[in-house]
Amino acid sequence: MIEIQDFLRYSRQMQLPEIGELGQLKIKQARVLVIGAGGLGCPILQYLAAVGVGNIGIVDFDKVELHNLHRQILYTENNIGQLKSTSAKTILENLNPHITIQTFEEKLSETNANEIIKNFDFIVDGTDNFTTRYIINDACVKINKPLIYGSIFKFEGQVAVFNHKNSKNLRDIFPEPPNPEDVPNCSLNGVLGTLPGIIGTMMAQETLKLILELPTLNNELLLFDTLNLNFTKLKF
């Protein structure tokens, strides 16, 4: 149920007719799993925690490094060497002590994906490699979980919603993952620090719209060229 502290904390968003008390209750009762607590995961986690998503899961086995800090603004130099998942949990609980956060300090794989994903309502893919993205996608299709997808490269980002109310999934766009050697990545090609913040916030927005049962991307891949401020929607 909605309590006095909820009204005080979330009053600005509850004033929106699309949210109100019922919408805030949906947010409070939602169970969202964020896979990856890096560049995309940081803004996703910060906003989901701040708006009151009641149950958040974090999957990440990596540790905070100095080169993360220009874009992974959830962390500070004090967190270097610590596990991202446990650091994120502590920081987010300070941001909002009225939510529950569960961590999985392990690498998502074909072996554990179904077991981790099954207990959450919405899955958010904040990973940075195609192997894991396809594992997440296939698990969501198998156990029928909506998936919020995003990726970044240099100045460009992509956002999509997969497997929601019989919508299509990643394999409907790209049936097979590319050869890892052919895929550019941020460690070799770079990324401007603000880009994951932009795309991650958009992913958090789509997640909240799913929770609130508002219109979301449907069989559409949203491309955002932040250098020239151009949006493109590709139907699939």
Side-chain angles (χ1 to χ4, degrees):
M1 64 180 290
I2 296 295
E3 302 172 3
I4 293 297
Q5 68 180 14
D6 298 319
F7 283 103
L8 296 174
R9 180 179 283 262
Y10 309 117
S11 61
R12 295 300 184 270
Q13 65 191 32
M14 290 176 68
Q15 289 175 6
L16 294 168
E18 294 86 355
I19 299 179
E21 185 174 344
L22 179 59
Q24 191 62 47
L25 184 60
K26 290 179 180 178
I27 293 172
K28 187 175 184 177
Q29 294 176 338
R31 298 182 57 83
V32 178
L33 180 69
V34 179
I35 304 172
L40 291 172
C42 282
I44 294 166
L45 287 166
Q46 283 172 293
Y47 273 107
L48 294 184
V51 302
V53 171
N55 297 274
I56 298 175
I58 306 172
V59 182
D60 202 305
F61 67 98
D62 205 2
K63 293 182 179 180
V64 179
E65 299 182 56
L66 181 61
H67 65 80
N68 298 147
L69 300 184
H70 89 287
R71 66 195 184 282
Q72 299 178 23
I73 59 172
L74 193 61
Y75 313 115
T76 70
E77 288 196 12
N78 292 331
N79 301 115
I80 291 174
Q82 299 175 2
L83 285 168
K84 291 181 180 179
S85 54
T86 52
S87 294
K89 175 180 168 67
T90 299
I91 294 165
L92 295 171
E93 286 176 339
N94 286 329
L95 173 64
N96 191 345
H98 306 291
I99 62 175
T100 299
I101 299 175
Q102 182 179 3
T103 60
F104 302 86
E105 295 90 8
E106 55 191 294
K107 184 176 182 178
L108 198 82
S109 66
E110 293 179 348
T111 304
N112 63 15
N114 290 357
E115 189 64 26
I116 293 175
I117 288 173
K118 70 179 184 180
N119 293 320
F120 292 87
D121 306 316
F122 306 94
I123 313 303
V124 188
D125 179 3
T127 61
D128 61 0
N129 68 87
F130 276 95
T131 300
T132 309
R133 288 173 186 162
Y134 276 81
I135 290 172
I136 297 168
N137 177 81
D138 294 347
C140 286
V141 171
K142 182 177 180 180
I143 55 182
N144 196 27
K145 301 288 183 178
L147 171 62
I148 300 88
Y149 166 91
S151 67
I152 55 174
F153 177 63
K154 292 187 175 180
F155 293 94
E156 299 179 357
Q158 302 179 359
V159 180
V161 174
F162 295 135
N163 201 50
H164 174 56
K165 294 184 177 179
N166 298 315
S167 70
K168 297 178 181 179
N169 66 81
L170 179 61
R171 289 191 184 271
D172 290 307
I173 311 176
F174 308 109
E176 298 295 333
N179 187 326
E181 296 178 357
D182 298 329
V183 178
N185 60 67
C186 295
S187 61
L188 296 177
N189 294 277
V191 61
L192 186 62
T194 50
L195 178 64
I198 295 167
I199 301 302
T201 302
M202 293 170 67
M203 294 170 68
Q205 179 83 343
E206 290 301 292
T207 303
L208 290 168
K209 286 159 63 181
L210 285 175
I211 294 170
L212 295 165
E213 301 179 83
L214 297 175
T216 60
L217 292 168
N218 182 43
N219 294 336
E220 298 166 309
L221 181 65
L222 179 65
L223 311 177
F224 186 20
D225 172 5
T226 65
L227 188 59
N228 299 293
L229 292 180
N230 289 329
F231 281 99
T232 305
K233 271 188 184 180
L234 300 179
K235 291 279 189 179
F236 62 90

